[in-house]
Each structure stands twice: as structure tokens, then as C-alpha cells.
Amino acid sequence: MYDLKDLYQELIVDHNRSPRNFGEMADAERVAEGYNPLCGDRLKLFLKFSDGVVSDVRFTGDGCAISIASTSLMTEQLRGKNEEEIHALFKDFQAMVTADMDTDNIAHDMPNKLIAFAGVKQYPARVKCATLCWHTLESALADTDETTKTE
Ligand code: ZN
């Protein structure tokens, strides 16, 4: 197995430096806020749907490199997916960053770029930084008004 660590690190640095889909969305259909008190990560997620699938997504926020990069990379995966597909991806992602699993055993439909976060499972405090956006996404889909907290 060749070592992809450096490549992944670059991906996280790049997405932190220039996050994709960053900005407000005036006509969002769902908005949810997330907060990770352990690290101070805050984010706001905006979603729009068309024919049952995500048609547009944006976010704003302030946080550590892991949280911003994770949100940026997550938003790249959502367009064209329905809620069921998003729940499945969330479950796979959570399993990847919490379970003791070889990169080889990660679900085959896990997008390559998201595998960049497999390494955070060695740093339990960082797992919350990486998953905050996904938890916030879940509450956006559930349409709750409460701020999602990791604690
Ligand atoms: Zn963080």
C-alpha cells in the first residue's frame, strides 16, 4: 500500500485555505447551525432542493482547518443526492472516522476525497471537528431550529 497521507494533508490545507461553496444563500430552503464547543468551530449550512435532491449548498463559518476543510469537501458531495443517499454517506463517514478500519475496508462508494479524513480517528478530539458539518447537515435535513452541538 502506498502512502497517501501527504496528498490528503494537502487536500485539507487547500480546502481550508479556499473553501468551496463558501458564502450565504439568500433563498435557502433549509438552514442549520452547528457548534463544536471543544474547539470553537462554528458553521452555518444553507441548502436548496429540486425534485427531491440537493440542488445547491453553501456554508459560512469559522473554525479550525479540519472543520472548514471537512465542510468544504462535504458540500462538494451533496448536489444531486437525495436525503437517503446523504444519510448513507454520513453513516459511512462517521464509521470511517470513529471505527478502527483499514482504508481498504471503507465502503466502496465513499468518495476518494473524503477518505482524507480517515486519519482523524487517531485524534478523538478532532473527530468532532470533522463530523460537525455532517451533524449539522443531518439537522438541516430534519429541519430543526436548534443549534447542533457536538457536546
Ligand atoms: Zn475544530
Side-chain angles (χ1 to χ4, degrees):
M1 236 317 275
Y2 46 92
D3 192 5
L4 291 172
K5 245 190 189 160
D6 292 343
L7 180 70
Y8 287 150
Q9 205 138 28
E10 249 172 63
L11 193 66
I12 289 172
V13 168
D14 174 47
H15 276 258
N16 175 51
R17 199 175 289 154
S18 37
R20 317 304 196 266
N21 303 304
F22 195 85
E24 305 250 342
M25 189 196 290
D27 55 346
E29 291 166 52
R30 302 273 178 86
V31 180
E33 287 182 78
Y35 177 47
N36 173 17
L38 209 65
C39 180
D41 310 313
R42 284 182 188 280
L43 81 96
K44 197 168 180 180
L45 202 61
F46 305 85
L47 287 170
K48 213 153 56 167
F49 298 85
S50 169
D51 293 328
V53 302
V54 173
S55 58
D56 202 8
V57 53
R58 292 267 185 278
F59 78 100
T60 59
D62 198 5
C64 68
I66 301 274
S67 74
I68 298 293
S70 183
T71 312
S72 172
L73 282 153
M74 179 190 80
T75 59
E76 282 193 326
Q77 303 297 331
L78 304 181
R79 284 190 189 80
K81 285 195 171 65
N82 63 31
E83 292 198 17
E84 215 168 292
E85 289 166 324
I86 290 170
H87 289 313
L89 196 56
F90 168 65
K91 266 174 66 184
D92 284 350
F93 186 83
Q94 198 166 32
M96 180 182 76
V97 295
T98 56
D100 199 14
M101 187 160 54
D102 287 334
T103 326
D104 290 348
N105 294 331
I106 291 167
H108 290 297
D109 47 3
M110 173 65 67
N112 276 332
K113 284 175 167 184
L114 296 186
I115 295 174
F117 294 95
V120 304
K121 66 167 172 276
Q122 292 155 35
Y123 311 95
R126 302 310 242 166
V127 168
K128 287 170 178 167
C129 302
T131 55
L132 175 66
C133 57
W134 289 94
H135 289 292
T136 307
L137 174 63
E138 287 281 296
S139 59
L141 295 175
D143 210 5
T144 61
D145 285 332
E146 276 173 45
T147 298
T148 304
K149 286 193 187 147
T150 53
E151 295 297 306

